[in-house]
Amino acid sequence: MRILITEDDSALAEALQFSLAQAGYAVDWVANGAAADEALKQDVFGLLILDLGLPKLDGFEVLRRLRRRNLTMPVLILSGREQPEEKVIGLDLGADDYLVKPFSLGELQARVRALVRRGQGSVTPAISYGRLSFDTIGRIASAGGRTLQLSVHEVGVLECLLHRFGRVVSKEQLVEQLYSYDKEVSHNAIEVYVHRLRKKIAGAGVTVRTLYGRGYLLDYVSE
Ligand code: CA
């Protein structure tokens, strides 16, 4: 899951980026509204975290342009002041949630989890196929009730495959979901994560199939 942070306060942006990366999200950061508008035209994000007071284009205008392009990605607004009218304008423009600074990183994490869940259209927080179950809030996978020890990247791959169960996911899509702009993208790394993940979910009634030249598919094991 890729998140775009638009925030001109670099100390806050870095704290957000660090906290969300620790939680397993791929996080990109831009410091002005025009850069956010460009990034949103070029890439697909699972969530936009948007400050209102921004250089070049303010947060409201970024949001207005995003919704004009009919993009439905969830948007969490960060506002510097408690101004009720700002909140109303933001929500009217199509923001999904609103946080007033200062806020705790714990609260931000909880809001992000809720928005990501909503954005992916799953009403229940757990996804299950065969004996494999994935808690989308805690991002914990288990097989037959036993918690699987997965790395952050393995969780990212599994999450992506689970949301598209039975459909092919290309390496490019996995790379997109797992990496940020500033990190090196490697198809070999994806192969390694998939290989490890396949071993760890063995016995759960599902497996990751490789479709050469096309990508991967999470599917039931024929028993
Ligand atoms: Ca600001």
Side-chain angles (χ1 to χ4, degrees):
M1 169 60 58
R2 234 172 132 178
I3 295 178
L4 180 66
I5 298 175
T6 307
E7 171 60 68
D8 59 329
D9 174 343
S10 59
L12 175 60
E14 274 165 30
L16 295 180
Q17 202 169 14
F18 181 76
S19 168
L20 292 167
Q22 290 285 95
Y25 300 105
V27 187
D28 296 306
W29 166 41
V30 290
N32 69 67
D37 193 46
E38 272 312 302
L40 290 164
K41 279 182 202 160
Q42 281 169 20
D43 287 294
V44 176
F45 297 92
L47 174 69
L48 168 65
I49 296 178
L50 182 64
D51 181 31
L52 287 181
L54 289 168
K56 299 189 182 173
L57 278 184
D58 73 12
F60 287 138
E61 185 55 29
V62 172
L63 181 58
R64 201 172 284 126
R65 293 184 184 196
L66 176 74
R67 294 309 188 214
R68 210 179 285 149
R69 293 194 293 275
N70 268 329
L71 287 177
T72 56
M73 80 179 65
V75 176
L76 171 61
I77 283 183
L78 306 180
S79 170
R81 291 163 309 243
E82 176 102 57
Q83 291 192 341
E85 64 279 14
E86 275 198 341
K87 184 170 181 171
V88 172
I89 297 170
L91 295 174
D92 275 351
L93 284 174
D96 299 273
D97 203 354
Y98 197 96
L99 260 181
V100 177
K101 298 176 192 172
F103 49 81
S104 75
L105 289 175
E107 180 169 16
L108 175 95
Q109 291 278 4
R111 305 274 187 116
V112 166
R113 284 194 295 270
L115 288 173
V116 165
R117 208 159 61 234
R118 218 185 294 164
Q120 288 170 338
S122 50
V123 280
T124 51
I127 306 174
S128 296
Y129 290 101
R131 287 179 294 283
L132 181 70
S133 181
F134 185 73
D135 166 357
T136 57
I137 299 178
R139 305 182 81 237
I140 295 163
S142 56
R146 183 178 49 89
T147 300
L148 300 175
Q149 301 301 321
L150 303 180
S151 72
V152 163
H153 288 112
E154 289 158 12
V155 168
V157 169
L158 178 62
E159 194 173 33
C160 198
L161 292 171
L162 274 169
H163 283 294
R164 296 171 181 79
F165 187 87
R167 285 178 284 160
V168 182
V169 179
S170 69
K171 267 189 203 171
E172 278 306 326
Q173 284 172 306
L174 288 173
V175 164
E176 279 276 303
Q177 289 299 316
L178 294 185
Y179 292 87
S180 307
Y181 286 144
D182 50 339
K183 304 232 180 78
E184 201 178 311
V185 173
S186 146
H187 281 208
N188 289 344
I190 296 287
E191 282 173 24
V192 172
Y193 303 142
V194 167
H195 176 73
R196 290 190 194 141
L197 179 64
R198 191 181 282 134
K199 281 214 285 210
K200 291 181 183 179
I201 65 172
V206 294
T207 191
V208 184
R209 301 192 195 286
T210 304
L211 288 94
Y212 289 98
R214 293 180 61 204
Y216 302 100
L217 173 79
L218 191 65
D219 197 6
Y220 290 112
V221 177
S222 36
E223 291 174 74

